[in-house]
Amino acid sequence: MKKTLRDISVKNKKVLVRVDYNVPLDVNLKVINDKRIVATLSTIKYLLENNAAVILMTHLGRPKGKVVSTMTLKSVSERLSELLGKPVKFIGADCISSESKKMAADLNYGEIFLLENLRFRPEEEGKNALGEIDKVAMDAFAKQLASMGDVFIQDAFGTLHRSHASTTGIVKYIKNAAVGFLVEKELKFLGRVFENPVSPFVAILGGAKVSDKIGVIENLLNKVDSVIVGGAMAYTFLKSQGVSTGFSLVEDNKLDLAAELLKKAKERRVDFFLPLDHIITDKIDFINKYIPSEAIIKTTVDEAIPEGFIGVDIGPKAIEKFYKIIETAKTIIWNGPLGVFEINEFSEGAVKVAKFVAEATDNGAVSVVGGGDSIAAIKKASVDKKISHISTGGGASLEFFEGKKLPGIIALPDAK
Ligand code: AMP
């Protein structure tokens, strides 16, 4: 168990908090979805109530070590200020510049200061100004960040699977460190589901690629009773069994691996459910998530997809079958959409599954949903209040389910 915020004294201290405010912005650079900001409020309020001076740091987007004006945190500071009902200082200067350091040094207890986007600096992700991997540069940057605080609080669950300056590097220079309330809650929930699951335990996996989820599936086969696979991932599994998949998105170099995973599931007596039928189309623009008006859309009679067609959602038979599995589950984890859910016509699979997971939760199951797209499907189905735990980190929760230790957690001190 790691030290948590309650284990350390923060009174009259400068507290550096790593948060995950990687939120979507609209064309006017206003925050579209503030869920990640809201999720950190309990930690920030606790710090303010305990008379700490709070210095927040986060990344937003992928500026790749350069200042990108559309990725500034200005509107994030404004939204946070609205949510807290008090000013949040933001100066937009480089996060380790003398201006930022002065602001941190002058910050009074009970005040908040948000540093500008950490990823405007290449060192945050372990690189130097030339874009080369450079651990020495990362370390020096981490030391500069650390110089602004007396205490470090890790509350960015979404970045714990990364070894970056503000996640692992900084802990070398601030020994007084702990997890915040958000990370504490995530670890408790994921840990409980994973270490003591009530059977039947069902994992629902979707999304674009099998290759992203191989490790997760392998590890889950030791834990779950059933795996349900939808989304484009399902076609690689189906093709590996000799089923025709038309023009569907298939990872041809992963066919052997998919067959191997199905074999392992059988050996371990894990039921592995693939879609029994599909919604298919002959034309789709995957990049812009758009179907031309002349496109033909059909439902297949079974799992085979005819030549010239692309699978884009699970069909009605698959929905019915998946309902039967999910209905009786007592532990459910879900990551990845079951179809191209961004297009309304192909969102039925993901939306129905979201409703089934909510219904099972109403009937006593514990459900954990991670990954931006699955969460969007939960929202689209208006069942977000019914899910036991919605994880704030898709990638981090997947690595957790893969059985990997998260570097951002390993770096932190253990509780006595
Ligand atoms: P991932 O990031 O791997 O979870 O994948 C999410 C993406 O998978 C979403 O953008 C979906 O549109 C996409 N996806 C889901 N089902 C399919 C499908 N049948 N064909 C192509 N893309 C899909």
Side-chain angles (χ1 to χ4, degrees):
M1 194 53 219
K2 294 293 169 181
K3 263 192 190 167
T4 72
L5 185 44
R6 281 200 188 82
D7 295 330
I8 55 179
S9 163
V10 294
K11 194 169 183 314
N12 296 348
K13 299 259 166 67
K14 296 263 157 85
V15 180
L16 271 166
V17 188
R18 176 57 158 111
V19 285
D20 177 8
Y21 290 166
N22 184 21
V23 296
L25 304 179
D26 67 14
V27 284
N28 299 313
L29 307 186
K30 292 285 168 219
V31 175
I32 298 172
N33 180 335
D34 64 4
K35 203 177 146 283
R36 285 185 163 163
I37 305 177
V38 171
T40 64
L41 293 179
S42 59
T43 291
I44 296 174
K45 283 181 181 163
Y46 175 90
L47 290 170
L48 295 174
E49 279 158 16
N50 283 280
N51 214 39
V54 181
I55 303 155
L56 300 172
M57 46 184 185
T58 179
H59 73 284
L60 186 149
R62 292 188 174 149
K64 300 200 171 138
K66 303 240 154 42
V67 176
V68 177
S69 59
T70 53
M71 294 179 194
T72 174
L73 292 167
K74 185 166 191 305
S75 87
V76 171
S77 73
E78 290 162 1
R79 186 71 196 118
L80 176 62
S81 168
E82 282 165 19
L83 289 166
L84 286 168
K86 67 181 287 156
V88 171
K89 293 180 191 292
F90 178 79
I91 55 173
D94 176 88
C95 58
I96 54 163
S97 61
S98 51
E99 294 95 316
S100 290
K101 284 184 183 159
K102 179 164 186 336
M103 178 60 88
D106 292 347
L107 199 67
N108 292 315
Y109 301 115
E111 289 184 338
I112 315 164
F113 169 39
L114 174 65
L115 293 172
E116 182 56 291
N117 197 337
L118 295 173
R119 288 197 191 162
F120 284 178
R121 300 283 309 209
E123 301 95 325
E124 165 62 2
E125 295 181 89
K127 296 192 178 136
N128 60 26
L130 301 171
E132 301 157 340
I133 303 281
D134 187 338
K135 296 294 171 210
V136 175
M138 175 169 133
D139 222 44
F141 174 67
K143 192 173 178 185
Q144 299 271 334
L145 287 174
S147 72
M148 286 185 265
D150 311 307
V151 173
F152 172 64
I153 297 297
Q154 175 55 271
D155 219 16
F157 182 73
T159 46
L160 289 180
H161 57 311
R162 308 273 185 224
S163 287
H164 289 167
S166 67
T167 56
T168 52
I170 194 165
V171 185
K172 263 200 225 164
Y173 300 102
I174 304 191
K175 297 290 175 219
N176 206 359
V179 297
F181 296 141
L182 167 65
V183 168
E184 186 185 10
K185 181 169 160 245
E186 289 268 11
L187 293 177
K188 263 195 190 148
F189 230 103
L190 299 182
R192 179 152 32 111
V193 162
F194 216 48
E195 274 136 38
N196 294 307
V198 180
S199 206
F201 183 1
V202 178
I204 309 166
L205 297 170
K209 290 190 193 155
V210 178
S211 48
D212 290 345
K213 293 184 179 126
I214 294 164
V216 180
I217 298 174
E218 274 194 320
N219 195 40
L220 285 175
L221 290 180
N222 300 318
K223 306 257 178 190
V224 300
D225 299 291
S226 317
V227 179
I228 289 175
V229 170
M233 275 174 72
Y235 312 126
T236 303
F237 282 104
L238 287 169
K239 191 166 178 185
S240 80
Q241 302 303 293
V243 177
S244 54
T245 51
F247 282 159
S248 303
L249 207 70
V250 166
E251 284 173 276
D252 280 310
N253 60 348
K254 294 286 179 291
L255 291 173
D256 289 348
L257 195 104
E260 185 62 27
L261 286 173
L262 290 172
K263 198 167 142 236
K264 272 192 195 156
K266 210 171 198 175
E267 284 163 9
R268 293 183 200 168
R269 294 172 206 271
V270 172
D271 292 319
F272 207 107
F273 297 100
L274 293 167
L276 297 170
D277 57 352
H278 318 272
I279 308 297
I280 56 172
T281 183
D282 62 339
K283 287 187 191 74
I284 181 167
D285 177 346
F286 278 126
I287 310 282
N288 300 306
K289 307 287 180 212
Y290 159 81
I291 19 168
S293 55
E294 72 277 15
I296 300 168
I297 298 170
K298 299 203 282 193
T299 304
T300 60
V301 286
D302 56 21
E303 64 260 45
I305 297 176
E307 270 319 303
F309 280 85
I310 306 160
V312 284
D313 196 6
I314 56 174
K317 287 181 197 157
I319 290 179
E320 204 185 318
K321 178 76 189 169
F322 293 175
Y323 176 60
K324 294 213 171 93
I325 318 303
I326 298 167
E327 190 194 13
T328 57
K330 285 289 168 254
T331 307
I332 304 168
I333 57 174
W334 178 20
N335 189 301
L338 301 169
V340 189
F341 83 107
E342 297 94 331
I343 299 177
N344 254 336
E345 286 86 340
F346 309 140
S347 67
E348 190 167 349
V351 170
K352 284 258 168 78
V353 162
K355 289 185 176 157
F356 302 160
V357 174
E359 191 183 319
T361 313
D362 270 348
N363 293 331
V366 175
S367 52
V368 174
V369 180
D373 294 328
S374 323
I375 295 170
I378 293 269
K379 286 240 163 76
K380 205 164 180 173
S382 307
V383 293
D384 39 325
K385 299 273 178 310
K386 297 192 165 195
I387 305 302
S388 316
H389 182 67
I390 296 182
S391 177
T392 51
S397 62
L398 267 186
E399 292 211 4
F400 189 93
F401 290 138
E402 212 173 322
K404 285 190 182 161
K405 298 268 178 256
L406 303 171
I409 289 297
I410 296 172
L412 292 166
D414 290 319
K416 291 269 155 31

